[in-house]
Each structure stands twice: as C-alpha cells, then as structure tokens.
Amino acid sequence: MSSNLLSLFTPLYLHYPKWIHPELFPGVPVLGLIRWYGLMYICAFVTAYLVLKQEMKEGALDSEGYKATEDDLFSFIACGIIFLLIGARVFSTLVYDTSGLYWKKPWLIFWPFDTTTHQFTGLAGMSYHGGFIGGLIGMIVWCKKHKKPVQKWVDAMVLAIPLGYTFGRIGNFMNGELYGRITTMPWGMVFPLHDKLARHPSQLYEFGLEGVVLFFILWFYSAKPKPACQAFEGTSLSCEASMYEVR
C-alpha cells in the first residue's frame, strides 16, 4: 500500500506552533524574563479595573449617601489581587501538587527561582479555585474594613472574572500546559513538551466557553433590571460559580 494511501487513514491533527514560547522574548537578556503568563495576569487585572470603572459610572457601586470613587476601586482591586495571588499559589502548591515538596519546604511556595538551575521562573503554578477563594476573601475583607455592602461590590466584580479567566487560559496555551485528553478529532493538537499524541486544546475550549460566553451571559443577566432589595444582591456571584462548575 502506498504512503499516499496510508496517509488517508492517518488521524489528522494540529501541531502546537513552534514560534510560541513561554517567554515573550526568548533568549533576549532581561526581556527574556517577561513571560506570557505574567502578562496575561496584568491584562486580567487591568480588565477588572475597566469593568469596575464602567459599573461605577453607572452607579452600581454607590451606597445610600455615598458615591464610590476611583480610590475605592484601586484599593478594592489591590486587596483582591493580593489575596487572589496568595490563594492561587497556596492551592496550587499545597492542595494540587502531589509531590509533597511544598509541605516539606514551604518557603518554596513563593520562591520565584528554579531550585536546580536557579533561573528566574516567576511563580510557576497557579490554581483558579484557590485564586477564586482568595480573591473572594480579599474582597470581603476590604468591604468589611471600609464598611461597604459586600454583596453589591462582589457582584460588580463578578462580571470581570470570566474576562480575566480568558487571559489566564491564553497564558496556559502559550505555556503549552493544561491540555486535554488524547483525541483523534482533526482539531486535536500535539504539545511537544508532553508527548507526540494529539490532545484536546482544552485551554482554548475554556477560553471560549468559560471566558467569553460566560461573560456575555453574566453581562446580559446583570443588565436585566432586578427588584431593589438586598435579596437579589450577590446572585451574580452564585450564577458565575454555578456556571463555571457545569463543565
């Protein structure tokens, strides 16, 4: 049987682009330290600020007798980011890592260098669930400290979560990580750093479904008029959490 005929029975798949590297400028001094994953976090935080700023203009963050300011936004987001990063890193290293390394050497949890090569790697490994829990705790702490309605502010922030999630999954794809199961579908992709088997590019699935699509669902939901009662505050958070788990 000729090679051309055999090729008809060979599963089609996509190759992970060779030009993609975890670093934006691989091999370039200093600039080589900048990584796509870290850049995506910055994009996510900037997006969260822009979304909250728009909601602030619409009066969604105002309380009785008080109008929210940009200083409120900065401190609210900063507190959420700090707790988010702590939660994401702690969950990734102490909950999801099965090697037990971080339980024996907890100082490595926030150590940004490779223990073997001593090269700068940043905080490699973040957990969405840990970030969600940490960020939520951070927002609650801020609201309690500044005496702001927790449900109102958290609900406003929820709209930015799916957009931030899209950037996170782009970062995972650029790192060539968090791919899916082996597949024979023609859109399966070979990630060379793992093996030579075609796998579902699950990062891109989640980018579209749990990022873009979920954002528009929450956006339409938040834009829909609701009764002006406290019982309806906090429902966007419940909606986002429930939809994320439907996978």
Side-chain angles (χ1 to χ4, degrees):
M1 188 178 292
S2 66
S3 59
N4 290 334
L5 187 58
L6 283 173
S7 64
L8 295 177
F9 298 93
T10 302
L12 299 176
Y13 55 82
L14 303 173
H15 282 283
Y16 184 75
K18 294 181 179 180
W19 57 268
I20 294 181
H21 300 273
E23 304 84 11
L24 269 74
F25 307 98
V28 179
V30 182
L31 292 179
L33 298 176
I34 305 175
R35 293 174 170 261
W36 282 107
Y37 197 70
L39 179 62
M40 291 301 101
Y41 261 82
I42 294 175
C43 291
F45 296 148
V46 171
T47 300
Y49 169 76
L50 294 176
V51 170
L52 278 179
K53 186 175 181 180
Q54 180 60 36
E55 293 187 276
M56 181 188 73
K57 290 181 179 180
E58 296 173 357
L61 299 177
D62 296 338
S63 304
E64 185 176 352
Y66 181 80
K67 185 172 181 60
T69 66
E70 287 201 30
D71 288 339
D72 293 328
L73 294 189
F74 277 116
S75 60
F76 176 70
I77 292 177
C79 185
I81 288 175
I82 293 173
F83 278 79
L84 181 151
L85 293 176
I86 293 174
R89 187 62 180 156
V90 168
F91 264 65
S92 176
T93 54
L94 299 183
V95 178
Y96 293 118
D97 182 84
T98 58
S99 67
L101 173 65
Y102 297 98
W103 286 100
K104 298 175 182 177
K105 300 179 179 180
W107 61 87
L108 293 180
I109 294 175
F110 297 101
W111 185 249
F113 299 95
D114 187 279
T115 56
T116 303
T117 63
H118 305 294
Q119 292 183 340
F120 178 81
T121 59
L123 299 179
M126 293 291 208
S127 162
Y128 170 83
H129 297 94
F132 183 89
I133 295 173
L136 179 60
I137 293 175
M139 290 187 288
I140 293 175
V141 168
W142 184 90
C143 289
K144 293 296 185 181
K145 180 179 179 181
H146 293 83
K147 298 180 179 180
K148 298 292 190 296
V150 174
Q151 293 173 315
K152 180 187 291 289
W153 279 77
V154 171
D155 248 13
M157 187 63 175
V158 162
L159 193 58
I161 293 178
L163 291 180
Y165 190 81
T166 63
F167 290 111
R169 286 301 174 251
I170 292 175
N172 293 139
F173 183 75
M174 302 303 278
N175 279 347
E177 60 187 8
L178 294 188
Y179 32 73
R181 297 178 179 178
I182 297 172
T183 180
T184 57
M185 302 304 292
W187 56 82
M189 184 171 289
V190 175
F191 294 87
L193 294 180
H194 183 72
D195 53 32
K196 295 184 179 180
L197 299 174
R199 296 175 176 275
H200 284 287
S202 56
Q203 317 98 320
L204 303 183
Y205 300 165
E206 295 181 14
F207 159 81
L209 296 176
E210 297 176 6
V212 178
V213 173
L214 182 54
F215 166 75
F216 281 109
I217 292 175
L218 291 175
W219 183 74
F220 281 116
Y221 175 78
S222 64
K224 184 178 179 180
K226 303 177 186 64
C229 64
Q230 192 174 11
F232 281 84
E233 293 181 354
T235 52
S236 291
L237 175 64
S238 301
C239 182
E240 195 278 338
S242 299
M243 289 184 178
Y244 174 79
E245 292 304 328
V246 178
R247 315 172 53 171

